[in-house]
Amino acid sequence: MLFPLRLPIPEDVLEIAKTLEHAGFEAWCVGGAVRDTLLGEANSDFDIATSAVPEKVRELFRHTVPVGERFGTIAVRTRRRHHEVTTFRHDVTTDGRHAVVAFGASLDDDLARRDFTINAIAYHPLRHEWRDPFAGAQDLERRLLRAVGVAGDRFREDYLRILRGLRFAARFGFAIEDETWNAMRRNADGLRQLSAERVRDEWFKGLRTAGSIPELVRLWWESGAAAVWIPELVRQVGAGVPAATTEGSPGVSSAGRTDSLSGGIGTVTGTRASGEPRDPVLLTTLLCLVPVTVLARLRASNAEIGRAASMLAGPSEPESPAPIAVRRWLAAVGGAADDLIFLWTMRHGIPPVWATMVAEIRHRGDPLTRKSLAVNGADLQAAGIPAGPELGTLLDRLLSLVVEDPSLNTRETLLARSHTLRESRG
Ligand code: ATP
Ligand code: MG
């Protein structure tokens, strides 16, 4: 690949580079933004590598945040955003999870400790020079992911690099160079040493950015990463595989996962071009048997785990597209309705017909929750019903009535019905 004469560098990044260079230090643009810009993808999140030590960086800029000072990283705040400025460093010791780094390294030392050749290209934003000691530009052109240096050594220094590699390969649709791929597979067992949080971040980022989710899933399985961290992951997500049935498959939950999924995931969420940001919790729920277990293992937040649990708590779809069935379903699944519609769409490749009915019901404002009843607990008490658990049960029974027939949702009718319901209960 011929390097472009100039890379478009945002003004605030140039300012940072100028300040460092005027103070006598080197400042180079490195990392993902250089890679992405060379690939023609917009990314203005430029990181800067510098010969200045962290204390110097903090002296030179007015607004800084020591995001990882021990590792040499200071975030410099500009009018627009933060940019990470990291001192050239080399590794002193590594143990597969953490590195002890030393400063006083050169740009080339610094590039040599980076993970993949495509991530080890540096550009000088003022002199417009390129530094690419591992021929990363050629790999970009060949669409090839290759570790910097001896792949096995690099993965044993930090096993997270294996997962990063799977993510980049799936994101760009790059092939993985043989030696790199073999080393990933040979070292997959070392992934056990990683913290769940780092694995989750990688898994979520992978889901958000994959050019093809089926490819990401395939890579997680074939590398051995899925067996170590997410054995509940579906084996295969195939375009063209018949739609997975959502009910009645032996041994699967009511949300109906099977070992393969229909084309929806490959098409609808399969490209980042679809615009909407992907939701990793939803996708994990779609792609995993027992997603709650997976999310808990990956130490997702309680809110995220709870969200997956509520998707599985009720029926995955209404019994029929009839208004009454859809209202019953909406009342039963509550806040999980939109997530369930998304899952259905992903499994089948098209939105369900009853989604239109959901929209109509919402548009009309049909009562679906206790709160939307024309009477509340206080009204019932005023009408002579004693406070206590009976009151709650009664409200639920009134809700069932209006879900069946929304026209019953008037104060008069519900008060009258409360009395008959109590009497019939005896
Ligand atoms: P993106 O931000 O799009 O996920 P990126 O390549 O910018 O991709 P970052 O995590 O932002 O990834 O890291 C910036 C750069 O730091 C990488 O391009 C790479 O050069 C280096 N790097 C990050 N993590 C590692 C790692 N675990 N081992 C070696 N180098 C790494
Ligand atoms: Mg980045």
Side-chain angles (χ1 to χ4, degrees), residues 230-242:
I230 320 184
E232 299 87 348
L233 185 61
V234 290
R235 285 274 167 181
Q236 198 194 356
V237 189
V241 175

Side-chain angles (χ1 to χ4, degrees), residues 150-228:
V150 180
D153 294 350
R154 308 316 311 286
F155 296 143
R156 284 187 289 277
E157 287 164 9
D158 180 1
Y159 290 103
L160 192 76
R161 291 170 184 163
I162 297 176
L163 302 184
R164 286 173 55 86
L166 305 178
R167 163 159 69 91
F168 293 125
R171 172 172 166 195
F172 299 120
F174 281 14
I176 301 176
E177 177 264 335
D178 283 348
E179 187 41 44
T180 301
W181 177 241
N182 292 334
M184 282 177 165
R185 298 180 52 161
R186 276 200 307 275
N187 289 286
D189 211 49
L191 292 168
R192 289 178 204 285
Q193 298 181 31
L194 294 174
S195 73
E197 288 81 359
R198 289 181 90 201
V199 174
R200 180 198 59 226
D201 282 354
E202 269 309 320
W203 171 242
F204 279 12
K205 271 193 210 172
L207 291 172
R208 284 202 188 92
T209 60
S212 154
I213 286 180
E215 178 65 0
L216 182 72
V217 167
R218 185 186 73 77
L219 289 169
W220 269 68
W221 271 115
E222 291 187 5
S223 61
V228 171

